[in-house]
Amino acid sequence: MSVNLTMSVVGVFHTAACVVALGLGAWLIVARKGTPRHRRLGDWYVGAIVFASLTSLTIYTHHAFTFAHWFAIMALVTSLGGFTLGRWHGAGQAWKYGHLTCMLLSYYVLIGGGVNEVFLRVSALRHYIAPKFTPVVGQTHAIVMMSFVVLILGFALATAVSQVRLVLRRRRAQAGRLAKAAA
């Protein structure tokens, strides 16, 4: 089994940014949310995704704007949208759902691109993708997509549960203060 790692200088920087974003994104998914470390590494993740997306827009292996370029635009929109929601949100908690959905979608695009790269660059897998996509590639992408749907729904549910618990805690604390004041 051989791996084709031939790429342009831009491709090397693009790949490095993707590897950084893969590592940071994985860490951000499992780590505690809202901490200063989460914000700082989230900034680095967004920077890596933006850099990877912009460099991918300059890579033209087929001398045409391809489906991969549209995914780069999607990664730009979702990562910058999630960053904006996380940084400049108003009152309320609705921004959390948009933030997590955008950030997970940007990571999904990154993983999906990685799936394509593995099928293109590993010689034992190349026949599944060239000259055209086969069901194996589609099934792999379906598994990745369903995993991210589960992640998005799981995070949304966890966010909703934590919000309900926070409201109940605040009500109990307020009731305790009112009871002390009445006594």
Side-chain angles (χ1 to χ4, degrees):
M1 175 174 77
S2 67
V3 178
N4 178 9
L5 296 177
T6 305
M7 61 183 85
S8 67
V9 173
V10 172
V12 170
F13 286 113
H14 169 76
T15 301
C18 289
V19 169
V20 168
L22 278 170
L24 289 172
W27 186 89
L28 289 165
I29 286 172
V30 299
R32 186 167 180 210
K33 311 298 180 257
T35 65
R37 176 184 254 182
H38 174 86
R39 289 184 197 103
R40 185 176 59 255
L41 293 179
D43 291 347
W44 280 91
Y45 169 78
V46 170
I49 283 286
V50 167
F51 185 83
S53 298
L54 291 175
T55 55
S56 74
L57 292 173
T58 68
I59 300 171
Y60 288 93
T61 55
H62 299 292
H63 305 292
F65 198 83
T66 65
F67 210 61
H69 295 106
W70 286 111
F71 278 113
I73 291 170
M74 182 180 166
L76 280 169
V77 169
T78 56
S79 62
L80 292 174
F83 175 81
T84 302
L85 286 167
R87 279 288 187 239
W88 297 290
H89 53 81
Q93 303 299 318
W95 67 271
K96 290 180 180 179
Y97 299 100
H99 171 73
L100 73 89
T101 301
C102 284
M103 298 315 281
L104 285 171
L105 285 175
S106 73
Y107 198 66
Y108 163 71
V109 171
L110 182 67
I111 297 291
V115 167
N116 286 345
E117 286 298 315
V118 167
F119 275 104
L120 283 170
R121 294 191 180 272
V122 176
S123 61
L125 300 175
R126 192 170 300 120
H127 69 280
Y128 289 114
I129 203 167
K132 65 179 187 167
F133 283 83
T134 63
V136 172
V137 178
Q139 290 165 352
T140 304
H141 277 291
I143 290 167
V144 170
M145 186 184 302
M146 291 310 298
S147 299
F148 275 89
V149 167
V150 168
L151 264 177
I152 290 169
L153 292 174
F155 274 115
L157 180 62
T159 301
V161 167
S162 72
Q163 289 308 119
V164 168
R165 292 175 69 196
L166 179 64
V167 167
L168 292 175
R169 223 175 14 250
R170 286 180 180 164
R171 285 184 183 167
R172 279 193 300 269
Q174 184 179 20
R177 285 191 300 272
L178 290 175
K180 278 185 181 179

